């Protein structure tokens, strides 16, 4: 299993690095700690997108 940096995960999601870091810290995107580093499993990115697709849309 490949591990991505938070910045690499952000690029794959086409979102900002800080936004991705907040999602990681809140647990919305799965992550693991390797030593002192935070890494995102590569399969956590499509899992997060799938969760977004099944989330009900908010009324405007």
């Amino acid at each position: 299993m490949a591990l991505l940096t938070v910045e690499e995960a952000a690029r794959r999601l086409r979102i900002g690095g800080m936004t991705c870091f907040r999602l990681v810290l809140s647990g919305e995107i799965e992550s693991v700690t390797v030593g002192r580093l935070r890494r995102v499993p590569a399969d956590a990115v499509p899992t997060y997108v799938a969760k977004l697709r099944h989330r009900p849309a908010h009324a405007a």
Side-chain angles (χ1 to χ4, degrees):
M1 173 189 314
L3 296 174
L4 308 172
T5 65
V6 174
E7 293 79 15
E8 290 169 333
R11 280 196 297 274
R12 287 187 181 199
L13 290 166
R14 305 220 196 277
I15 61 175
M18 280 307 298
T19 299
C20 190
F21 190 71
R22 281 190 220 106
L23 291 168
V24 164
L25 287 180
S26 71
E28 288 193 61
I29 296 178
E30 179 190 357
S31 66
V32 296
T33 302
V34 180
R36 293 176 34 179
L37 305 172
R38 178 65 56 179
R39 294 292 183 249
V40 176
D43 62 350
V45 174
T47 299
Y48 173 70
V49 173
K51 283 194 287 188
L52 289 178
R53 293 182 75 182
H54 294 95
R55 187 182 294 177
H58 295 328

